Structures are given as structure tokens and as C-alpha cells.
Amino acid sequence: MTGDLPDFYFRIRENGAAVFKVDTENRQRRIEMEEIAIVNVKNGNIKPHGDRKLSPEELDAINIWLSERLALLAARDVDDILRAVDHMNLTTQWAQSKATDEQLEKVTDPLLLAMHDLRTVLVRKKADRLMKAGDEESGGK
């Protein structure tokens, strides 16, 4: 089992991870993990643990993990939004076929405000993208 372990372990935290170097080559043949750094996915900062100097191999492993983590988080963001679209469709079906007047009274205003806010942002962002695409097509004139 220990032969299959990675050289580094990343303990996920709120804004990144604590990075540990995995060691199985010790006298007791136990798994030891030494904390070597903290990684922040929001700003890309890598802070070595204590007075440690990170080796090029360690920095490479951390940077690879960071780029893979950012890609995973971006994919999860899109997936979450697509799930929200599904949920909106289910909410529409509920409102049309199952909701009582009392339930609709409770949810209508908050839903309408949230939908109005979302629509406003989406329309503005779409207009910005269209303007940018038009500028690029015309050569930035």
C-alpha cells in the first residue's frame, strides 16, 4: 500500500490547502507527513511552513496542484449554476402544479426580486460581451 502513495498530500482548506510531504521511507515504516507549505487558491500565494525553503520539485508539485484545483473549482462553479437552472425549472413546475396560494405568497416576492437581479446582471454582461465582440470585429475602432 505505501508504495502507491503520492509524494505530497494536500489537505483542502477554505481558501486553498495545507501541503504535506509524505514519507514512508523511515525506520518504523510508518506514514509520516511533514507540513511544508500553505497554498492560497484565491491569490496563488505559496507560503513555506516555518523557516523551510521549498525545493524546485516541491514548488512544481504545488503549482501543478494549484492549476488543477483552479480548473476543478471553475468546473464546479459552472456545474452549480447548471444545477440552479434545473432547480429553477423544477420550481416553475412546482409553482404551476403543486403550490398552494399560501406557499406562493411566501415565495413569490423573494423569487421575483432574485430573478430580476439575476436578469439585470446577465443582460448587462451579455451586452458587454456583444460590444466587445463588435469592437474586435471592427478592429477596435
Side-chain angles (χ1 to χ4, degrees):
M1 176 187 119
T2 56
D4 297 328
L5 293 176
D7 294 333
F8 301 97
Y9 171 71
F10 295 83
R11 181 193 300 151
I12 304 300
R13 297 165 42 138
E14 183 72 27
N15 290 325
V19 184
F20 294 85
K21 188 165 189 141
V22 178
D23 178 20
T24 57
E25 303 296 324
N26 54 62
R27 295 175 113 169
Q28 296 83 17
R29 298 178 78 56
R30 293 184 180 173
I31 298 170
E32 294 181 4
M33 297 191 319
E34 175 190 3
E35 186 171 355
I36 63 170
I38 298 291
V39 184
N40 185 319
V41 294
K42 300 271 189 221
N43 58 22
N45 284 350
I46 300 169
K47 293 171 76 176
H49 185 72
D51 294 333
R52 181 181 186 90
K53 296 274 188 207
L54 297 173
S55 72
E57 175 194 45
E58 293 167 339
L59 281 171
D60 286 347
I62 292 169
N63 283 315
I64 289 168
W65 177 87
L66 182 57
S67 65
E68 289 173 352
R69 183 70 179 170
L70 289 170
L72 175 65
L73 293 174
R76 283 182 181 170
D77 282 346
V78 170
D79 187 56
D80 287 346
I81 299 307
L82 292 173
R83 287 174 195 256
V85 171
D86 287 349
H87 202 79
M88 286 175 65
N89 284 309
L90 292 170
T91 302
T92 302
Q93 185 61 33
W94 169 82
Q96 185 175 28
S97 63
K98 295 181 185 175
T100 66
D101 288 345
E102 294 80 24
Q103 290 172 322
L104 287 172
E105 189 62 37
K106 205 177 232 182
V107 301
T108 297
D109 288 343
L111 274 171
L112 287 173
L113 289 170
M115 290 172 11
H116 174 75
D117 186 30
L118 177 60
R119 183 183 184 284
T120 301
V121 170
L122 291 175
V123 168
R124 185 181 72 241
K125 293 286 197 170
K126 176 95 176 188
D128 290 348
R129 289 192 312 275
L130 291 172
M131 294 292 289
K132 184 178 176 185
D135 287 348
E136 289 173 359
E137 283 181 13
S138 66
K141 295 179 182 176

